[in-house]
Amino acid sequence: MPGIKGPSDYSQEPPRHPSLQINSKVPFNAEPPRSALASSYVTPVDLFYKRNHGPIPVVDDIERYCVDICGLIGTPKKLYMRDVRMLPKYDVTATLQCAGNRRTAMSKTRKVRGVGWDVSAIGNAVWGGAKLADVLELIGIPKLTCSTQSGGKHVEFVSIDKCKEENGGPYKASIPLSQATNPEADVLLAYEMNGEPLNRDHGYPLRVLQAHLPGGPLPKPNPEPKTRPN
């Protein structure tokens, strides 16, 4: 993929905070001490738990980096960071939790597969980016769409990470197209975390965030300039 590569080994990993409790060195999975979570409503980025499935991708040219959009949409499209940043920016405060949180304690009662975690695989952050509904509208998929003209009903996100659990292939996830194109849904293509560009452990330069806020107010666009350098 232009501008980004998925390493096949762990020789280019980013630096990490020394207080993190390492649960797996490769791929790197670690959590902060409990006191770090209790000391701040918004979890500092360096102390936010790290959940990786393979070597961290390396961006070697942010100007060439783009998102390939293809499938049941007719004509494939490419979106660059400048295209995403030109869209209205939204900030969403959301808590993420690894599905394996407290797995170590659960395994004492019944064996559970996966990386062992204590209680700190959870964190709260302010995520900033463009709404996925706006991004899809930019390439010709209207808001509140349930199916494309070619029959597409889901949006699948495919990483460039090389994951052992995927037999060396990329990590994938998907959501219904009706959710992705809903302007009231908090589904972001996020490029910021706590007011700063995402770091490599948390998806730099762009990650998908789907927050669940049933009945909550729609966040207002951030009045800051639409484009900013990384």
Side-chain angles (χ1 to χ4, degrees):
M1 183 180 292
I4 189 172
K5 58 185 177 183
S8 58
D9 59 42
Y10 293 88
S11 63
Q12 302 180 71
E13 294 290 278
R16 278 95 179 206
H17 198 282
S19 72
L20 292 173
Q21 172 186 314
I22 300 175
N23 299 322
S24 170
K25 289 185 177 180
V26 290
F28 189 80
N29 290 275
E31 61 189 290
R34 303 182 190 193
S35 58
L37 296 181
S39 64
S40 175
Y41 174 71
V42 174
T43 309
V45 173
D46 288 346
L47 296 176
F48 206 97
Y49 74 94
K50 320 295 182 186
R51 176 65 175 113
N52 295 302
H53 295 269
I56 306 298
V58 175
V59 176
D60 49 26
D61 188 347
I62 190 61
E63 295 301 321
R64 293 179 63 235
Y65 170 82
C66 64
V67 178
D68 288 319
I69 304 176
C70 55
L72 299 176
I73 60 169
T75 305
K77 309 283 186 180
K78 292 183 182 292
L79 284 182
Y80 294 85
M81 284 299 297
R82 59 181 175 271
D83 300 318
V84 177
R85 286 180 174 273
M86 283 298 294
L87 295 168
K89 178 177 174 254
Y90 292 83
D91 287 335
V92 174
T93 301
T95 299
L96 302 187
Q97 177 178 246
C98 176
N101 201 31
R102 298 186 67 245
R103 185 178 282 147
T104 298
M106 289 187 284
S107 293
K108 292 179 181 179
T109 300
R110 183 175 180 180
K111 185 174 177 57
V112 183
R113 293 180 59 188
V115 175
W117 296 87
D118 192 25
V119 300
S120 299
I122 188 170
N124 190 50
V126 180
W127 310 89
K131 285 214 168 189
L132 184 55
D134 290 339
V135 173
L136 294 176
E137 187 174 53
L138 194 64
I139 65 161
I141 301 177
K143 290 184 171 69
L144 301 176
T145 295
C146 294
S147 176
T148 67
Q149 291 184 348
S150 302
K153 295 182 180 180
H154 290 81
V155 178
E156 182 181 47
F157 310 101
V158 182
S159 77
I160 198 169
D161 309 44
K162 298 180 184 300
C163 305
K164 183 178 180 180
E165 63 202 277
E166 299 294 334
N167 297 317
Y171 202 73
K172 304 176 183 179
S174 67
I175 63 174
L177 183 62
S178 57
Q179 176 77 359
T181 59
N182 184 348
E184 295 190 4
D186 291 312
V187 184
L188 298 185
L189 286 190
Y191 45 79
E192 286 185 359
M193 181 179 182
N194 293 350
E196 299 292 335
L198 292 172
N199 67 24
R200 289 178 58 208
D201 265 321
H202 296 296
Y204 177 79
L206 203 60
R207 70 174 290 167
V208 179
L209 175 82
Q210 180 179 217
H212 297 278
L213 296 172
L218 184 66
K220 299 183 183 303
N222 192 308
E224 296 177 359
K226 294 179 181 176
T227 58
R228 285 190 289 173
N230 283 308

